[in-house]
């Protein structure tokens, strides 16, 4: 097992990783920018190193500074958290070259899954269902038209180098295709310096379902069920839940088994999330994340499995004790991401928290690095904390979530708490009747600026 882990991240996830390290009896090193000197993870770590000025590129993305921090403290492993360098294969390789363990997948798998086309090809080869579309990038408009006709309109033109929704254009009918191709190519060239595009059947009102996996890197892998992440605004998830209101346990175990088998064949190491669009009873692979995700506590709540503990254990080469039959689901969990943003305009609202009272009680978890008097810096994401609520049923979970949201006090900055207090009383949400466009449609109808 590792002696000392350097946590190359900040905020709530740095605290989350730090807690797991302490439970394992592993020494912890926090790194921070000058803007995060008073952050909670710095206070609770055994050691801390200032790695640069506020800008992420000069601090949390500063590889030489992170390596120096490992050198100074003698850390033998680095946990990257999520975001920043968590899916940077080069960073993982550099650490290994310096005999420092990267707590994450093999660099080759990070690289494959970071390329949208390669990821889709790999998924298909491993037996995971993908969205019907072109084999790879499309060449001439004539070739694109022939492929589009074979998959049927509407089709979606996607930038090969794209991601997170950037560089996508819908062609509803044949006569809209050439314009969609030209626009997508131009935007892709401008945004990514690469105008390659590919085609897919456009799914109009799908849900966004992701499968949690854990592998030991030597051919063992299990799934830990799914999370429904359909409630998003501009590709930013705000509400995630398990189980999905749209799936029964047979569908979950079906797609879960397919994904677990694929991860065994790949000899995947660590935690990972395989993302699907789900429409009319069918799952369609869209991408794979090779990191611990923001919303991992939702899965922890319904399985009682600590995903960060397991992630550290498999990275250290410990015996892979978990079997698929050990994964038992119970109850229902919902996570709300509370951001320091205006609840209607979503304008970031950094600043000092002058009153902070997180909710408590049975089935209420808060993952946050905020505290009374903490100043939310303007340089990073606006997450104040994650409210994760558990109930024996979805109904009980919603009741408890309503109560917890009403109890939550964060004064001094705007937060999205009022939006959640509204959503948790909406009929469609209570009925679980929503899809990936539902939130932006709701915001457009209820006075928020257009998505
Ligand atoms: C799609 C799609 C519909 N049909 N692909 C958005 C970013 C990237 N993760 C893939 N995305 C989509 N791909 C096909 N063939 C709709 C989206 C999409 C979306 C996907 C998941 C969650 C939120 C979304 C919001 C808008 C569009």
């Amino acid at each position: 097992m590792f002696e000392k882990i350097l946590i190359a991240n900040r905020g709530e996830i740095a605290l989350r990783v730090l807690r797991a390290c302490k439970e394992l009896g592993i020494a912890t090193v926090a790194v921070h920018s000058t803007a995060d000197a008073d952050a909670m993870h710095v206070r609770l770590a055994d050691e801390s190193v200032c790695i640069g000025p506020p800008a992420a590129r000069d601090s949390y993305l500063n590889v030489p500074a992170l390596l120096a921090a490992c050198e100074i403290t003698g850390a033998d492993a680095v946990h990257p958290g999520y975001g920043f360098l968590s899916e940077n294969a080069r960073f993982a390789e550099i650490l290994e070259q310096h005999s420092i363990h990267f707590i994450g997948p093999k660099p080759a798998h990070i690289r494959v899954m970071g390329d949208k086309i390669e990821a889709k090809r790999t998924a298909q080869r491993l037996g995971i269902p993908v969205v019907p579309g072109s084999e790879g990038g499309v060449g001439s408009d004539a070739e694109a038209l022939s492929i589009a006709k074979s998959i049927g309109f509407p089709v979606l033109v996607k930038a090969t180098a794209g991601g997170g929704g950037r560089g996508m254009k819908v062609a509803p009918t044949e006569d809209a295709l050439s314009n969609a191709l030209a626009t997508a190519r131009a935007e892709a060239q401008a945004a990514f310096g690469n105008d390659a595009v590919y085609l897919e059947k456009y799914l109009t009102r799908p849900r966004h379902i992701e499968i949690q996996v854990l592998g030991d890197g030597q051919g063992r892998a299990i799934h830990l069920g799914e999370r429904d992440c359909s409630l998003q605004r501009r590709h930013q998830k705000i509400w995630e839940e398990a189980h999905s209101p749209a799936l029964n346990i047979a569908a979950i175990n079906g797609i879960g088994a397919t994904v677990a088998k694929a991860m065994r064949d790949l000899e995947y190491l660590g935690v990972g999330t395989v993302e699907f669009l789900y429409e009319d009873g069918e799952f369609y692979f869209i991408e794979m994340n090779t990191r611990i995700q923001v919303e991992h506590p939702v899965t922890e709540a319904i399985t009682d499995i600590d995903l960060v503990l397991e992630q550290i254990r498999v990275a250290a080469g410990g015996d892979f004790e978990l079997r698929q039959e050990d994964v038992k689901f119970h109850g229902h969990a919902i996570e709300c991401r509370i951001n320091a943003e205006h609840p209607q305009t979503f304008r970031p609202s950094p600043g000092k928290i002058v009153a902070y009272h997180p909710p408590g009680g049975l089935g209420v978890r808060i993952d946050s690095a905020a505290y009374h008097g903490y100043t939310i810096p303007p340089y990073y994401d606006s997450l104040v904390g994650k409210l994760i609520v558990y109930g024996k049923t979805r109904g009980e979970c919603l009741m408890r979530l309503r109560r917890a949201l009403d109890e939550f006090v964060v004064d001094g900055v705007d937060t999205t708490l009022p939006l959640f207090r509204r959503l948790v009383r909406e009929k469609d949400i209570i009925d679980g009747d929503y899809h990936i466009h539902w939130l932006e449609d709701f915001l457009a109808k209820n006075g928020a600026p257009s998505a």
Side-chain angles (χ1 to χ4, degrees):
M1 182 48 88
F2 305 125
E3 298 287 318
K4 185 181 284 190
I5 292 177
L6 183 142
I7 302 162
N9 215 300
R10 63 178 300 281
E12 67 88 14
I13 193 61
L15 208 50
R16 172 70 185 86
V17 172
L18 189 140
R19 286 171 172 153
C21 294
K22 289 195 167 212
E23 290 172 13
L24 289 169
I26 299 171
T28 54
V29 178
V31 292
H32 65 90
S33 70
T34 49
D36 281 337
D38 294 338
M40 189 68 89
H41 72 287
V42 176
R43 298 187 189 191
L44 296 182
D46 298 311
E47 295 173 73
S48 66
V49 179
C50 180
I51 50 172
R57 68 178 173 282
D58 300 324
S59 51
Y60 299 102
L61 295 171
N62 184 339
V63 174
L66 289 165
L67 280 176
C70 289
E71 198 71 30
I72 294 167
T73 59
D76 54 342
V78 167
H79 193 301
Y82 52 64
F84 295 132
L85 295 167
S86 62
E87 296 184 290
N88 185 312
R90 187 80 194 97
F91 178 57
E93 285 168 344
I94 290 172
L95 287 174
E96 300 295 345
Q97 285 161 9
H98 287 75
S99 308
I100 299 167
H101 289 274
F102 174 76
I103 298 175
K106 299 165 185 171
H109 291 158
I110 299 174
R111 196 164 273 120
V112 157
M113 296 306 172
D115 174 315
K116 300 289 159 235
I117 294 272
E118 276 314 302
K120 191 171 174 180
R121 280 205 184 104
T122 304
Q124 203 159 14
R125 175 172 59 80
L126 294 167
I128 293 174
V130 300
V131 187
S134 59
E135 262 313 296
V138 291
S140 67
D141 285 16
E143 181 198 346
L145 178 57
S146 144
I147 294 168
K149 282 180 173 173
S150 68
I151 52 182
F153 286 93
V155 298
L156 188 60
V157 184
K158 285 185 168 179
T160 304
R166 292 176 305 163
M168 296 195 324
K169 282 281 170 277
V170 182
T173 58
E174 182 174 332
D175 54 21
L177 182 59
S178 59
N179 186 39
L181 285 163
T183 311
R185 286 189 207 285
E187 283 186 13
Q189 184 59 44
F192 316 113
N194 173 350
D195 74 345
V197 295
Y198 62 103
L199 288 188
E200 284 185 348
K201 176 79 184 150
Y202 180 59
L203 303 171
T204 52
R205 294 154 62 95
R207 296 180 89 112
H208 184 196
I209 306 287
E210 57 186 30
I211 302 292
Q212 181 68 60
V213 295
L214 172 65
D216 73 348
Q218 295 159 24
R220 286 202 187 92
I222 59 172
H223 76 86
L224 293 98
E226 93 300 355
R227 295 181 291 262
D228 192 324
C229 303
S230 304
L231 291 175
Q232 316 204 8
R233 175 183 177 271
R234 295 187 183 179
H235 307 290
Q236 295 300 316
K237 299 166 184 169
I238 69 154
W239 167 306
E240 305 101 341
E241 61 180 303
H243 292 297
S244 167
L247 298 177
N248 61 34
I249 194 62
I252 295 163
N253 286 332
I255 191 66
T258 298
V259 168
K261 169 76 168 61
M263 293 301 113
R264 284 194 290 276
D265 294 350
L266 195 63
E267 297 192 344
Y268 186 76
L269 170 61
V271 294
T273 300
V274 182
E275 296 199 2
F276 294 88
L277 294 178
Y278 179 77
E279 189 165 80
D280 298 333
E282 298 294 334
F283 289 92
Y284 302 97
F285 171 88
I286 43 173
E287 55 198 59
M288 178 172 186
N289 303 317
T290 55
R291 65 178 189 269
I292 190 77
Q293 292 203 249
V294 173
E295 60 268 25
H296 75 272
V298 165
T299 300
E300 294 184 326
I302 68 163
T303 62
D304 293 331
I305 293 170
D306 184 317
L307 283 167
V308 177
L309 276 184
E310 297 305 332
Q311 183 184 25
I312 294 170
R313 284 187 179 125
V314 290
D319 292 341
F320 192 68
E321 287 152 9
L322 277 173
R323 297 276 174 277
Q324 192 63 58
E325 51 272 25
D326 299 329
V327 181
K328 304 259 191 273
F329 303 116
H330 54 81
H332 193 93
I334 296 172
E335 175 184 86
C336 295
R337 298 190 195 192
I338 315 297
N339 288 334
E341 295 169 351
H342 189 278
Q344 281 174 326
T345 65
F346 297 92
R347 184 175 46 77
S349 173
K352 185 168 184 162
I353 294 175
V354 296
Y356 185 69
H357 171 80
L362 178 67
V364 178
R365 167 177 171 178
I366 297 280
D367 275 21
S368 173
Y371 53 84
H372 181 105
Y374 175 62
T375 297
I376 298 173
Y379 310 102
Y380 314 110
D381 65 49
S382 60
L383 186 64
V384 173
K386 301 168 339 192
L387 169 60
I388 302 102
V389 172
Y390 172 84
K392 288 197 293 295
T393 64
R394 188 169 189 267
E396 183 180 284
C397 190
L398 284 166
M399 274 174 6
R400 188 162 287 150
L401 178 59
R402 258 193 292 279
R403 185 271 298 169
L405 286 166
D406 290 349
E407 186 179 329
F408 208 154
V409 174
V410 182
D411 288 346
V413 295
D414 286 330
T415 73
T416 49
L417 277 165
L419 172 62
F420 290 108
R421 291 173 184 139
R422 176 79 186 277
L423 287 176
V424 81
R425 292 170 169 85
E426 274 297 313
K427 182 179 184 323
D428 285 351
I429 301 298
I430 294 167
D431 296 347
D433 184 12
Y434 55 79
H435 49 78
I436 62 171
H437 304 298
W438 186 95
L439 181 62
E440 291 183 347
D441 295 347
F442 172 81
L443 292 170
K445 276 189 295 225
N446 292 278
S450 61

